[in-house]
Amino acid sequence: MTHEQNTNEQLSLLISQWLSQGKELPPHLKPALERLSKEHCSGIAIKQLDSPMMKQFRTAKEEVPDALLFFRMGDFYELFGLDAIIASDICGLTLTSRDKSSEFPVPMAGVPVVGYKNALKKCVVAGFKVAVCDQIEDPRQAKGIVKREITRIATPAVPGDLEEEESPNERSFGCYLASVIECKKQYTLSYIDVSTGEFRITYELNESLLLQELSTISPKELLAPHNIHQKLSSLLKSIQQKNIIAINSIENWILKSELACKELFCEFFKEKDFHSFGLTHIPQSLPAICAILQYLKSTQKNVLKNIQFITKYELSTHLIIDEATRRHLDFFYTASGEKKGSLFHFLNKCITATGSRKLLHRLKYPYKNAEEVNISLHKISEVVNCTGLIPELVELLRNTGDIDRLLSRAAQRNLDARAMAWLRQTLGTLPLFQNVILNWKQAPLLNELLKDNETILALKPLFELLEKSLAEDPSPIIGKGGIIFKEGYSNELDEAISLSTNFNQMLSDLEKKERELSQIHTLKIGYTGAFGYYFEISKGKIAQAPKHFIRKQTLTNCERFVTPELKELEEKALAASDNRIILEKELLEGLRIKILDFSNYLCQASCLIAEIDLTVTFANLALQYNWCKPTLVNENLTQLTDSTHPILAHLSTNSEPFIANNITLGIEKSDENKNPLIHLITGPNMAGKSTIMRQVALTQVLCQMGSFVPAKTAKIGMVDRIFTRIGSADNALKNQSTFMVEMLETAHMLRFASPQSLLLLDEIGRGTSTFDGLSLAWAILENLHDEVKARTLFSTHYHELQEVISQKSNIQPMHMQVSENIIINDNIEKRAIEFTRKYNSGSAGQSYGIHVAELAGIPEKIIQRAEELLDTLENKADSKKMNFTLQPPAPIMDSQNRDDVGKVEQKAFINKENNNEKSNEIKLLDIISVTDPDSLSPREALDFLYSLKKFNKNELGSELLLKALGYQKSSYKSQMSAKKTKETVLGSDQTLF
C-alpha cells in the first residue's frame, strides 16, 4: 500500500466513524472537508507542517492516526485538520482556519485547558479515541520550543477519569473492552472493565451464544482479527444496542507469536507462569487475553497493576437468558428505555458500588447449580433471623469506599489524596466487620467469610501507613494551599509548608531579632523588585549598623542592607511553593505505588465487602416485602402460593391492591394427580395474563440468583434456560415486521428449549390473519406438548385451542377470572366487567376487547357500532358452528402424492354430501367456506355465482362442490408457487416487512 493510499484510508476511517449511525454531513462543514489535503493523515499539506511547532504536531499525529489529537498550545488545546472539523461538530466548537488563501486551508478548533475534559468526554461518548499531546516542561525554563509528547489516550472502553461519575445505585452497567478470536467455527471471548479490574474469559461459543454474550456485556470496543470484522459487524447489527461498538484489529504478532504473548503477559501479572492461571485448555486463550493487554499498554502508556485475576466461565454452568427475554422481563430497562422501574433498579438496594456490581453480575448470570443457590439462601436466612445484625452491617457498609475503582485509579495514576483517605477509612472498617459478624454465632456461613482474617491482617500495614501519612481531611488538589499530609510525616515538606505559609511571620521574627541585637529601634525590613528583601536603617543610626550587614543601596534619608540570613530566608521562601508541590507529588506517588503493592489483598477485601452487601440487600428485600425462602426440588415443577409480581405488587395502591395467586406448573413426582406442564391461559385483555407469566419467570430468576422470592411458599425446580415471547415490536432497521420478530423469537425458543427450560408465549399468531395465526398457534402448542415437554405458560385469545386439551393430557386450561354485571343508567342497560385478577382453572368464554376499547377512550359511537357488528358476527358463527377437530400431523408428501390425495379428498367430500342430511342453507355455507374468492378470475367468479343460484334451486349438487374444491386446490398451488418464487428472489439477509 502506497503512502497516499494509507493516508486516504486513515482519513476515510475517521470520516466514516464520524458519519456512522446514519448521521448526515453538516452542510456548513462540507467546504472545509472538501479542501483537506490528502498528503498527511491529519488532512494538512506536508509543506504546512514544516514549522518547529507543527513538526511536533506531525510526529504526535502520526503516532495516533486513528485518534482525535488535542495539542497543547499555551492556555488552549488545539485541534487541526480533520480532527478540528469533527470536534467542532461533536463539541460545538467554533471552527476557524489558518493559511486561508492557500489551496489547502488548515481547519482549527480549540478548547481552554481549564475545561478540556468536557470536550474529551463528548468525543469519547461519540465513539472516538482521543489523544492528548501535552507540554512536558515548564515554558519559563524551556530553551527554544517547549517539548511536547502524548501523555494520555482515552477510548470508549478505557476512558480513565473521563468516565461519568454517578451514584452507586445509578452506575453504568460496566465499561468493557472485549476481544474475539475464532477457532474451528467456535469463538473465544475475553473482556475487561479497566475501571474495576474485572477480567473474564469464556469459550466454545457458537454464533448464537457469542451474540448473546456480546449483548449481555455490551462492550464499548471490540478487538478481533481483521478477517472476521465483517462477520462480527453483521452479528452486531442484529443487536439493538444503545451504544456504538467500535471494532479494532488485533495486531498480527499477537496471533502469530506465542513467545511474545507470554512476555507481554508476564509484564502485567506477578505470576509469571501462564499455566498457573488454568487457561491453557481454552482455545486461543493467550492471544485473546494478550490482545487486550497490548491495547491497554499502548493506550495507557504503562502496565496496569490493578488487574489481578482472570476468571474463566462456561455459559452452560449458568441459567441462560437471551437478550429478548431480558428485554421482555425489563431486566435493565423498561419498555420506554428507562432504568427506573426495571428489575435491576428495583432490586438494587445495595449500599456500596461493589455490591451493586455483584448484584448486576448475579442478574446477568444466575446459578444453575442448586448447591450454589442453597448456600446463598442459607446466608440470607441467617441475616434475616439475626435481629439487629442488618443495621450494624449497613452502618459499616456506609463507611466503605469502592476499592475496585480506587485501585484502578491508582493503576492509571489518577488517585488523589482524598481518594486515598477513602481507602484508609475502608481499611479501618474491615476489622469492625469481623468483630460484628463473629459476635453473631447464629450466622455460621457469614462467620465462615471472616473466620480466616489473612486478608485483614495483610492490609493492616497499608492502613497504618495511610493513617500515619494523610491528614484527617486531605485536600484533593495539589498546589492550592490545602493540607494533604500530617505534620511530622516529612520534615522537608513541613519546612516547605512552613516557609510558604509562615514567611511573613518569619520576616517579622528576624526583624525583631536584629532590632534587639543592634539596639536600632527604627530598623525595619522592606522589599523592592530590584534586589528583593532588605534591612533599612535611618541616616542617624548608620554608625550602629552590625558588622554582618552588607550595604546594598544608599538613599537620601537612609541606607539599605542585606544579610546572609535574610537572603537565605528569601531564597527558601521563593522556592518553597514549588518545592512543596514537588514534594507532595513525590510523596503521593510513593503512596500510590505502595497501594498497588497490596492489589491482590485489596481485590479480596472488595469481594468480601460485595458479598456482605449483597447478602444484606437480599435480606432487606425479604423483610421489607415479606418474601419467602424457596424450597429447591429436583423436579420439573414450579409451585407458588400467593405469588406476586416483585415490582408491580410494590407499586399497587390500597384502592387497587395487587392480587396474589396460587400457581402450580409442572410435574411433582410424589403427587398422584400430576399437574400438567403447560398452562393454556385465556381471558380478557387487561385481565393480567402477561403479568402472571412475567411473575412466574421473575420468581424463577430470583430463586436462581439465590434470593428469596415474592410468594408465601415456593417449591421450585431449577431450569437451564428461560424463553419469552411477550409483547409486540418490529425491527425497522432490519426490515422485520412485528410478526416476523414474533416468529423469529418463537423459532429460537423451539430450537433451543429443553425439557428443563421455562417458556412463556403470549398471544402467538396475533400478527397475521385469523386462520394463519390460529393454525400456527395450534401447531406450536402441539409441538411444545409432544416434543419440547418443558414448563410452559401459553396465553391466547384463540378459544378454539381448547380443542387441543381434549387430546393432550399435559395441557391444563387456565383463565383470568372476570366478574360481569349489568348496570342500568337512565333506563339503559349496560354491561360492565370487573377484572378480579384471579388465576383459576378452566377456560374463558370471551375476550371483552370492546370493553377494553371503551376503557381506553374509544368514542361511544364506535363502541356501539362495534357491539352491533359483534352480535351479527357471533350470530353467523352460531349458525355456521365451524368445528375444529384435532388431527394427527400429516406426513410430508411430494406433488404426485398430493394430487392423489386431492382426488381421494374430492371423492370423500362427494360421499359425505350424499350421505349427509343437511339443509340447502347449511350446504351453501359449507360451499362458500371452502372457496377462496381471491383465487378466482372475474369469469370464474361469475360462473360461481350462477352455480350458487342453481344450487339454491336444487338444480345442482355435488358438481358445485367439486368445482369449489377445484378452485381451492388451484389457488393453493398458485400460492405455493408464488411463495417459492418470492423466497428465491429474496437474499439471505432480507426479510419480508
Side-chain angles (χ1 to χ4, degrees):
M1 184 182 291
T2 64
H3 173 74
E4 185 176 351
Q5 289 174 330
N6 188 42
T7 299
N8 287 339
E9 183 180 351
Q10 290 167 345
L11 290 171
S12 298
L13 284 173
L14 276 177
I15 293 172
S16 61
Q17 186 178 354
W18 174 33
L19 300 180
S20 62
Q21 304 295 312
K23 178 180 173 62
E24 294 184 1
L25 175 64
H28 69 284
L29 297 178
K30 188 175 181 181
L33 193 63
E34 290 174 344
R35 297 185 69 183
L36 288 176
S37 170
K38 296 182 180 179
E39 296 178 1
H40 190 259
C41 60
S42 63
I44 304 173
I46 296 295
K47 64 181 181 181
Q48 294 170 315
L49 297 170
D50 281 343
S51 68
M53 189 269 295
M54 292 307 287
K55 283 181 179 178
Q56 286 185 336
F57 168 80
R58 177 179 178 178
T59 302
K61 182 61 182 175
E62 288 173 353
E63 188 179 336
V64 284
D66 57 342
L68 303 182
L69 181 63
F70 284 71
F71 190 77
R72 176 74 179 268
M73 296 180 66
D75 293 333
F76 281 80
Y77 281 102
E78 295 287 350
L79 298 102
F80 298 98
L82 179 59
D83 296 353
I85 296 173
I86 295 174
S88 68
D89 180 44
I90 296 173
C91 306
L93 307 177
T94 301
L95 186 68
T96 60
S97 64
R98 57 190 294 185
D99 297 341
K100 294 182 181 181
S101 59
S102 68
E103 183 182 0
F104 302 112
V106 179
M108 295 175 57
V111 291
V113 170
V114 292
Y116 84 103
K117 284 188 178 180
N118 188 42
L120 290 183
K121 186 185 297 183
K122 288 180 180 179
C123 293
V124 168
V125 170
F128 286 93
K129 179 191 290 187
V130 295
V132 178
C133 185
D134 224 327
Q135 299 173 171
I136 59 171
E137 62 178 345
D138 191 337
R140 296 171 296 180
Q141 300 174 358
K143 295 180 180 179
I145 191 167
V146 179
K147 291 181 181 178
R148 295 179 175 87
E149 65 179 37
I150 293 176
T151 56
R152 68 174 297 179
I153 298 174
T155 73
V158 194
D161 61 347
L162 299 180
E163 190 174 14
E164 186 177 356
E165 291 296 330
E166 296 176 332
S167 65
N169 289 342
E170 294 296 334
R171 280 196 193 279
S172 61
F173 300 139
C175 185
Y176 292 107
L177 168 68
S179 68
V180 174
I181 293 183
E182 185 180 19
C183 180
K184 298 179 182 179
K185 296 185 179 181
Q186 298 282 315
Y187 297 90
T188 295
L189 171 67
S190 182
Y191 55 90
I192 187 173
D193 184 348
V194 178
S195 66
T196 62
E198 177 191 2
F199 204 155
R200 294 167 63 81
I201 186 169
T202 187
Y203 56 101
E204 293 183 353
L205 306 177
N206 56 29
E207 285 192 5
S208 175
L209 291 177
L210 173 65
L211 186 63
Q212 179 176 313
E213 275 303 274
L214 291 175
S215 173
T216 298
I217 65 175
S218 187
K220 300 294 179 68
E221 292 180 85
L222 189 59
L223 307 174
H226 187 74
N227 62 339
I228 63 170
H229 276 207
Q230 192 157 358
K231 185 187 292 186
L232 289 174
S233 296
S234 301
L235 283 173
L236 292 173
K237 284 179 182 176
S238 62
I239 309 175
Q240 297 183 10
Q241 291 287 349
K242 294 179 177 293
N243 62 281
I244 303 166
I245 301 178
I247 302 178
N248 299 313
S249 293
I250 295 175
E251 297 181 31
N252 286 331
W253 66 265
I254 293 176
L255 301 172
K256 295 178 179 178
S257 175
E258 182 179 348
L259 181 61
C261 285
K262 286 184 177 179
E263 289 178 358
L264 175 64
F265 187 87
C266 291
E267 287 185 48
F268 275 81
F269 296 97
K270 291 180 180 178
E271 183 60 59
K272 302 303 181 184
D273 185 7
F274 178 71
H275 296 271
S276 64
F277 281 78
L279 305 175
T280 51
H281 68 286
I282 299 177
Q284 297 294 320
S285 58
L286 184 59
I289 291 168
C290 288
I292 291 176
L293 298 181
Q294 175 60 24
Y295 190 81
L296 294 179
K297 184 178 178 181
S298 63
T299 57
Q300 299 305 298
K301 299 295 182 181
N302 70 312
V303 173
L304 302 183
K305 294 297 185 181
N306 66 311
I307 305 170
Q308 294 295 311
F309 311 106
I310 301 176
T311 305
K312 64 177 178 180
Y313 68 100
E314 297 178 48
L315 289 181
S316 59
T317 62
H318 297 279
L319 168 61
I320 298 177
I321 306 173
D322 59 35
E323 175 59 24
T325 300
R326 289 192 181 106
R327 187 171 62 251
H328 293 154
L329 298 179
D330 298 338
F331 264 37
F332 307 114
Y333 298 96
T334 62
S336 59
E338 297 179 359
K339 291 181 181 179
K340 187 176 182 181
S342 67
L343 179 62
F344 177 70
H345 181 273
F346 173 78
L347 295 176
N348 190 14
K349 305 294 192 293
C350 296
I351 307 298
T352 68
T354 51
S356 295
R357 287 196 296 274
K358 192 170 185 67
L359 171 65
L360 178 65
H361 183 265
R362 193 78 68 87
L363 185 55
K364 286 181 178 179
Y365 301 98
Y367 297 125
K368 197 170 80 172
N369 186 302
E371 185 178 347
E372 292 177 305
V373 174
N374 274 322
I375 290 173
S376 177
L377 292 175
H378 292 331
K379 286 181 187 175
I380 298 167
S381 295
E382 289 177 359
V383 176
V384 168
N385 294 330
C386 293
T387 307
L389 177 58
I390 291 180
E392 292 185 64
L393 292 178
V394 167
E395 189 61 34
L396 293 177
L397 288 169
R398 288 199 176 107
N399 291 323
T400 62
D402 189 343
I403 294 179
D404 292 332
R405 290 186 184 272
L406 293 175
L407 196 54
S408 174
R409 289 174 62 183
Q412 297 177 68
R413 300 179 180 177
N414 188 37
L415 190 69
D416 59 33
R418 185 157 293 175
M420 291 182 184
W422 255 112
L423 180 59
R424 176 185 61 189
Q425 181 172 319
T426 303
L427 297 180
T429 307
L430 286 176
L432 301 180
F433 277 113
Q434 191 175 34
N435 295 338
V436 168
I437 291 176
L438 293 181
N439 283 337
W440 291 86
K441 302 301 181 184
Q442 308 94 311
L445 286 175
L446 276 182
N447 274 258
E448 195 66 29
L449 283 176
L450 290 160
K451 191 174 182 180
D452 181 9
N453 61 354
E454 180 186 350
T455 300
I456 297 174
L457 287 175
L459 289 171
K460 188 175 181 181
L462 179 60
F463 168 71
E464 291 174 347
L465 174 63
L466 295 175
E467 180 70 19
K468 174 184 175 183
S469 58
L470 294 174
E472 190 65 30
D473 184 21
S475 171
I477 303 174
I478 296 175
K480 296 297 183 181
I483 300 298
I484 296 177
F485 292 95
K486 287 182 177 178
E487 188 175 352
Y489 178 64
S490 169
N491 294 332
E492 195 176 354
L493 177 61
D494 291 344
E495 184 180 353
I497 293 173
S498 178
L499 282 170
S500 60
T501 57
N502 303 320
F503 179 61
N504 289 333
Q505 182 61 44
M506 293 172 76
L507 285 177
S508 178
D509 292 343
L510 181 59
E511 180 185 81
K512 183 179 179 181
K513 170 188 169 185
E514 293 295 346
R515 187 180 297 156
E516 291 175 352
L517 290 174
S518 64
Q519 296 296 310
I520 303 173
H521 300 294
T522 57
L523 183 145
K524 61 182 179 181
I525 293 178
Y527 177 80
T528 177
F531 54 83
Y533 290 93
Y534 57 85
F535 287 106
E536 184 178 283
I537 301 176
S538 61
K539 282 288 186 182
K541 301 289 185 178
I542 294 294
Q544 294 179 243
K547 291 181 180 180
H548 63 280
F549 272 39
I550 303 170
R551 184 178 281 105
K552 195 70 177 175
Q553 189 178 26
T554 301
L555 300 178
T556 305
N557 299 320
C558 64
E559 288 194 20
R560 293 173 176 174
F561 301 84
V562 296
T563 66
E565 187 178 1
L566 180 61
K567 295 309 292 180
E568 183 183 355
L569 180 62
E570 180 183 0
E571 289 172 2
K572 285 183 177 179
L574 291 174
S577 295
D578 292 339
N579 287 339
R580 177 180 178 180
I581 292 173
I582 293 170
L583 288 168
E584 287 178 339
K585 284 182 177 179
E586 289 177 353
L587 293 171
L588 281 176
E589 178 65 11
L591 290 179
R592 185 188 71 82
I593 293 172
K594 199 68 177 176
I595 288 170
L596 289 175
D597 289 341
F598 287 84
S599 294
N600 190 21
Y601 293 112
L602 287 170
C603 289
Q604 293 176 22
S606 178
C607 292
L608 177 64
I609 291 171
E611 183 65 33
I612 294 172
D613 193 8
L614 185 59
T615 303
V616 169
T617 297
F618 281 156
N620 266 326
L621 288 168
L623 291 170
Q624 184 176 354
Y625 302 116
N626 199 25
W627 291 358
C628 76
K629 179 183 178 181
T631 301
L632 300 186
V633 294
N634 190 24
E635 301 169 9
N636 207 352
L637 175 70
T638 301
Q639 191 174 75
L640 308 175
T641 305
D642 288 347
S643 168
T644 61
H645 190 288
I647 303 174
L648 298 182
H650 167 62
L651 298 176
S652 62
T653 60
N654 292 331
S655 59
E656 191 175 353
F658 191 92
I659 304 300
N661 282 286
N662 298 334
I663 303 170
T664 302
L665 179 68
I667 299 173
E668 190 173 10
K669 294 178 181 177
S670 60
D671 191 356
E672 294 182 1
N673 301 317
K674 295 180 179 179
N675 298 296
L677 280 169
I678 302 174
H679 281 190
L680 181 62
I681 309 171
T682 53
N685 296 291
M686 293 282 293
K689 298 191 298 295
S690 295
T691 301
I692 284 286
M693 297 169 73
R694 283 185 169 96
Q695 75 189 47
V696 170
L698 291 176
T699 299
Q700 187 76 43
V701 171
L702 287 170
C703 173
Q704 294 194 217
M705 287 174 65
S707 167
F708 282 25
V709 298
K712 188 174 182 180
T713 63
K715 291 175 68 177
I716 298 176
M718 304 288 280
V719 300
D720 60 358
R721 300 182 74 146
I722 296 178
F723 297 93
T724 63
R725 165 79 288 280
I726 300 176
S728 60
D730 60 14
N731 190 341
L733 292 177
K734 292 194 67 183
N735 200 26
Q736 292 174 348
S737 66
T738 302
F739 182 67
M740 174 57 79
V741 171
E742 177 183 329
M743 289 297 101
L744 286 171
E745 292 178 355
T746 306
H748 178 75
M749 178 187 303
L750 295 173
R751 180 181 176 188
F752 294 106
S754 74
Q756 285 72 46
S757 300
L758 174 64
L759 281 59
L760 313 180
L761 297 95
D762 187 23
E763 299 182 25
I764 288 294
R766 63 180 170 185
T768 185
S769 66
T770 301
F771 289 110
D772 279 359
L774 174 58
S775 302
L776 279 168
W778 194 307
I780 290 169
L781 184 58
E782 286 182 337
N783 182 270
L784 292 173
H785 180 278
D786 299 338
E787 304 292 336
V788 179
K789 300 179 181 179
R791 279 170 273 179
T792 305
L793 295 175
F794 192 111
S795 76
T796 185
H797 285 294
Y798 294 132
H799 299 284
E800 296 83 356
L801 289 180
Q802 300 296 330
E803 288 287 335
V804 183
I805 300 173
S806 61
Q807 300 293 328
K808 305 293 183 182
S809 61
N810 233 344
I811 304 177
Q812 179 175 350
M814 302 293 292
H815 72 283
M816 302 305 298
Q817 182 180 311
V818 172
S819 174
E820 188 172 353
N821 302 304
I822 302 296
I823 298 176
I824 300 176
N825 189 9
D826 296 332
N827 296 323
I828 299 175
E829 289 188 359
K830 194 172 183 179
R831 186 174 62 175
I833 64 172
E834 178 185 354
F835 301 121
T836 66
R837 316 291 186 192
K838 286 289 186 182
Y839 186 61
N840 295 329
S841 60
S843 60
Q846 52 185 314
S847 295
Y848 299 96
I850 294 177
H851 178 77
V852 175
E854 185 178 9
L855 291 176
I858 298 295
E860 182 73 21
K861 182 178 179 181
I862 295 175
I863 296 296
Q864 291 177 358
R865 175 59 178 158
E867 289 176 340
E868 293 171 5
L869 292 171
L870 179 62
D871 290 339
T872 303
L873 293 172
E874 286 180 340
N875 289 334
K876 285 184 178 180
D878 289 341
S879 64
K880 189 171 173 183
K881 291 292 182 186
M882 291 184 67
N883 187 26
F884 290 84
T885 305
L886 186 66
Q887 300 291 342
I892 299 175
M893 299 173 289
D894 57 23
S895 58
Q896 177 71 35
N897 292 335
R898 192 181 292 114
D899 290 340
D900 294 343
V901 171
K903 293 175 183 177
V904 174
E905 286 177 350
Q906 290 180 359
K907 186 175 179 180
F909 204 109
I910 295 169
N911 293 336
K912 182 179 177 182
E913 182 201 50
N914 293 335
N915 297 328
N916 197 356
E917 299 180 359
K918 288 185 179 180
S919 65
N920 280 353
E921 179 182 0
I922 300 301
K923 289 180 180 180
L924 191 61
L925 289 173
D926 284 340
I927 294 167
I928 295 172
S929 68
V930 299
T931 303
D932 183 9
D934 291 335
S935 66
L936 302 179
S937 68
R939 179 65 186 175
E940 289 170 336
L942 186 61
D943 289 344
F944 186 75
L945 287 175
Y946 280 119
S947 299
L948 286 176
K949 188 175 180 180
K950 290 180 182 180
F951 178 85
N952 198 40
K953 295 178 180 179
N954 292 323
E955 297 176 6
L956 192 65
S958 58
E959 292 179 10
L960 180 60
L961 296 179
L962 278 172
K963 198 168 187 177
L965 278 173
Y967 287 141
Q968 187 183 38
K969 296 293 180 183
S970 174
S971 171
Y972 174 78
K973 289 181 179 179
S974 64
Q975 288 174 3
M976 291 303 295
S977 176
K979 181 179 179 183
K980 289 179 179 177
T981 303
K982 183 170 289 186
E983 289 174 347
T984 303
V985 172
L986 288 174
S988 60
D989 292 335
Q990 292 178 295
T991 52
L992 289 173
F993 188 75

